[in-house]
Amino acid sequence: MAVTTISRSKCFGGTQGVYSHESAETHCTMRFGLFLPPAAATRRVPLLYWLSGLTCTEENFITKAGAQRVAAELGVAIAAPDTSPRGVDVPGDRDSYDFGVGAGYYVDATEPPWSRAYRMYSYITEELPRVLATSFPVDAANAGIFGHSMGGHGALVIALRNPGRYRSVSAFAPISSAARSPWGENALTKYLGSDRNAWRQYDATALIAERGWPGPPLLVDQGSDDSFLHEQLKPELLEEACTRAGVPLRLRMRDGYDHSYYFIATFVEDHLRFHAANVSA
Amino acid sequence: MAVTTISRSKCFGGTQGVYSHESAETHCTMRFGLFLPPAAATRRVPLLYWLSGLTCTEENFITKAGAQRVAAELGVAIAAPDTSPRGVDVPGDRDSYDFGVGAGYYVDATEPPWSRAYRMYSYITEELPRVLATSFPVDAANAGIFGHSMGGHGALVIALRNPGRYRSVSAFAPISSAARSPWGENALTKYLGSDRNAWRQYDATALIAERGWPGPPLLVDQGSDDSFLHEQLKPELLEEACTRAGVPLRLRMRDGYDHSYYFIATFVEDHLRFHAANVSA
């Protein structure tokens, strides 16, 4: 459970770090970013998990989203893990941007050769919280989760399956239904096999139908000029599932915004205040 | 003077673009970032120039500084040019991170082979303002300038030599005296030759002594944990020059901050409000 410091910089009075550790789940060295607000100097602070999208590492969110200013003010920590195992060298893991390295989809793969290391679901829900709670002044039981695109899918799936452990969930331009997205269909077939019943535990809309959600409304922002909107993201599927299940959803279409971090930076303050109101309650 | 759009994203209600054009000064295609605030939809807005540091391109500031939020609120545009010519392939231009590509030092080189394309001083002060005023709703006569490290040096030098054209200047961790910094000595020797008299027009402290500064105080933030502080940046030289010349300087040592964009992001709002108060006056 030893954590190595890769870098650490003062930022808005707190500390933005990048750390690594040996992961038993993914059988490799995993990196994560962690922002600790000034309040963490004197007490354990609530913890938000940010899950990134395809091709991202632990760096994208911490350098581009501009979240530290508001997290410092609100007194919440933000953990930003990597999006897949690194360096395990499974044949084919770098053939495309949307599968393998940088594209773990936050699942526990069951199909060889992926099943050994591609265990991002257990990594995010079990191992990383233990690492964080052991090494940093964070209150891992007082957590929210959010993410972008593939990471928005991950945040929704992880919260919906573990409602007792995440008090709030939000997403930017999430893959609403991995089973009904070309990206997701390709990845779930390879990670989980072709039996679509096995995919349901990693499909946000199926989970909403089966389990509901006892927490505050699901908060989702989606840009209207996002080039992946109609083919991959399909927020209408999320809306339909929530309506049927009676799960409150605050879905906000943002006119003219695209899929980039400029979109995330614009609205991240809203998401942080939403989570802080729930995790600190 | 034709400008090509590389990318354009909505951001805080405005537009963050990256554009390119053929430069007569640098004999190559130059890129720059430009943020236009929402106010630019209806009128020409004041313009701030951001000059980046060693190794940077037009991307670093626009993705990492988090300046768009405040610029949108204040109604100011921010132009973020590249730091050197690109693709002119002068032998030796990629041998080190602190000279050549990514390291133009905002000078007009006089020594061959650099003198043909390494004309970043004229590019920033003459050509880029014309390009911007021609193609975008900015008021190029109502400008401020700021930058980081090598770009802090560039901002100070350019403002001090052109007080009528820049109403305010600020810097993050600038090279205070290029002639008394190992980075600067190496670069100025190669770009300008070994006669140190020729360096004075590119040394902020020499310019302060010779010309003073009629504008508002020079605003400088410097992190105390900056690894380049004592060998390269030397804010005490700037302080000494300002004291002798009677030029007001607001030099703020920031305890525990380093040289990174996490430092810049923390204090960029202060700089933007300082410039906006002067350019809009």
Side-chain angles (χ1 to χ4, degrees):
Chain A
M1 209 69 95
V3 165
T4 301
T5 300
I6 306 295
S7 67
R8 199 153 48 187
S9 293
K10 193 167 177 180
C11 185
F12 288 96
T15 305
Q16 179 61 62
V18 175
Y19 307 93
S20 71
H21 68 106
E22 298 308 308
S23 167
E25 292 289 354
T26 65
H27 296 276
C28 66
T29 305
M30 293 295 287
R31 287 191 177 198
F32 60 88
L34 180 67
F35 177 71
L36 290 174
T42 53
R43 59 181 169 83
R44 286 191 179 264
V45 294
L47 178 59
L48 305 185
Y49 294 90
W50 171 267
L51 303 186
S52 286
L54 290 169
T55 76
C56 288
T57 69
E58 77 288 348
E59 281 286 322
N60 301 64
F61 180 78
I62 69 176
T63 57
K64 295 183 172 181
Q68 293 94 347
R69 177 182 62 89
V70 185
E73 177 204 321
L74 298 172
V76 296
I78 308 177
D82 203 348
T83 58
S84 75
R86 300 270 165 184
V88 293
D89 293 329
V90 179
D93 66 4
R94 292 170 183 273
D95 290 353
S96 65
Y97 76 96
D98 62 347
F99 181 75
V101 173
Y105 282 86
Y106 306 102
V107 305
D108 285 348
T110 53
E111 291 292 296
W114 311 102
S115 51
R116 179 170 177 273
Y118 280 75
R119 297 182 51 79
M120 290 299 291
Y121 179 82
S122 289
Y123 174 72
I124 301 291
T125 58
E126 302 291 341
E127 187 173 21
L128 180 61
R130 284 197 305 271
V131 169
L132 293 170
T134 303
S135 298
F136 300 96
V138 295
D139 179 2
N142 194 359
I145 189 164
F146 62 154
H148 175 228
S149 196
M150 176 185 75
H153 141 81
L156 289 165
V157 162
I158 284 172
L160 291 162
R161 287 177 61 175
N162 301 277
R165 293 171 49 196
Y166 303 92
R167 299 192 181 189
S168 50
V169 57
S170 75
F172 293 84
I175 300 172
S176 295
S177 171
R180 289 178 282 176
S181 146
W183 279 338
E185 288 184 80
N186 172 60
L188 297 183
T189 302
K190 291 174 178 166
Y191 287 137
L192 304 175
S194 54
D195 177 4
R196 285 178 168 250
N197 278 321
W199 300 7
R200 296 182 63 81
Q201 61 185 318
Y202 296 111
D203 182 291
T205 61
L207 291 166
I208 287 166
E210 287 169 13
R211 303 178 183 220
W213 169 248
L218 310 180
L219 175 62
V220 175
D221 277 309
Q222 172 64 58
S224 70
D225 281 13
D226 186 322
S227 57
F228 304 113
L229 174 58
H230 300 297
E231 189 188 355
Q232 302 284 1
L233 307 176
K234 303 180 183 173
E236 67 277 8
L237 299 179
L238 197 62
E239 202 161 30
E240 181 188 67
C242 285
T243 301
R244 283 196 192 178
V247 167
L249 167 69
R250 279 162 56 197
L251 169 62
R252 305 181 296 197
M253 293 302 292
R254 299 295 193 175
D255 185 52
Y257 286 87
D258 63 20
H259 201 64
S260 72
Y261 265 87
Y262 297 117
F263 159 62
I264 296 170
T266 301
F267 300 108
V268 75
E269 178 166 356
D270 258 18
H271 286 238
L272 290 166
R273 293 192 186 282
F274 164 74
H275 287 287
N278 286 290
V279 295
S280 304
Chain B
M1 209 69 98
V3 164
T4 301
T5 301
I6 305 295
S7 67
R8 199 153 49 186
S9 293
K10 192 167 178 180
C11 184
F12 287 97
T15 304
Q16 179 61 62
V18 175
Y19 308 92
S20 71
H21 68 106
E22 298 308 307
S23 167
E25 293 289 355
T26 65
H27 296 275
C28 65
T29 305
M30 293 294 288
R31 287 191 178 198
F32 59 89
L34 180 68
F35 177 71
L36 290 174
T42 53
R43 58 180 170 84
R44 286 190 178 266
V45 294
L47 178 59
L48 306 184
Y49 294 91
W50 170 268
L51 303 186
S52 286
L54 290 169
T55 76
C56 288
T57 69
E58 77 289 347
E59 281 286 322
N60 301 65
F61 180 78
I62 69 177
T63 56
K64 293 183 174 181
Q68 294 94 344
R69 177 182 62 87
V70 185
E73 177 203 322
L74 298 172
V76 297
I78 309 178
D82 203 348
T83 58
S84 75
R86 300 270 164 186
V88 293
D89 293 330
V90 180
D93 66 3
R94 291 170 182 272
D95 290 354
S96 66
Y97 76 97
D98 61 347
F99 181 75
V101 173
Y105 282 85
Y106 306 101
V107 305
D108 285 347
T110 53
E111 292 291 297
W114 310 102
S115 50
R116 180 171 178 272
Y118 280 74
R119 296 182 52 78
M120 289 299 290
Y121 179 81
S122 289
Y123 175 72
I124 300 292
T125 59
E126 302 292 343
E127 187 173 20
L128 181 61
R130 285 198 304 271
V131 169
L132 293 171
T134 303
S135 298
F136 301 97
V138 296
D139 180 1
N142 195 359
I145 190 165
F146 61 154
H148 175 228
S149 197
M150 176 183 75
H153 141 80
L156 288 166
V157 162
I158 284 172
L160 290 162
R161 288 177 60 176
N162 302 277
R165 294 171 49 196
Y166 303 92
R167 301 192 179 189
S168 51
V169 57
S170 75
F172 293 84
I175 301 173
S176 296
S177 172
R180 290 178 280 176
S181 145
W183 277 339
E185 288 183 81
N186 172 59
L188 297 183
T189 301
K190 291 175 179 165
Y191 287 137
L192 304 176
S194 55
D195 177 3
R196 285 180 170 249
N197 279 321
W199 301 7
R200 296 182 64 81
Q201 60 186 321
Y202 295 112
D203 182 291
T205 62
L207 291 166
I208 287 166
E210 287 169 13
R211 305 180 181 219
W213 168 249
L218 310 179
L219 175 63
V220 175
D221 277 309
Q222 172 64 58
S224 71
D225 281 12
D226 187 323
S227 56
F228 303 113
L229 174 57
H230 300 298
E231 189 188 354
Q232 303 283 0
L233 307 177
K234 304 180 182 174
E236 66 278 8
L237 299 180
L238 196 63
E239 205 162 28
E240 181 188 68
C242 286
T243 301
R244 285 197 190 178
V247 167
L249 167 69
R250 279 162 57 196
L251 170 62
R252 306 181 294 198
M253 294 301 293
R254 299 296 194 175
D255 185 52
Y257 286 87
D258 62 21
H259 200 64
S260 72
Y261 265 86
Y262 296 118
F263 159 61
I264 296 170
T266 302
F267 299 109
V268 76
E269 178 166 356
D270 258 19
H271 287 239
L272 291 166
R273 293 191 186 282
F274 163 74
H275 287 286
N278 287 290
V279 295
S280 304

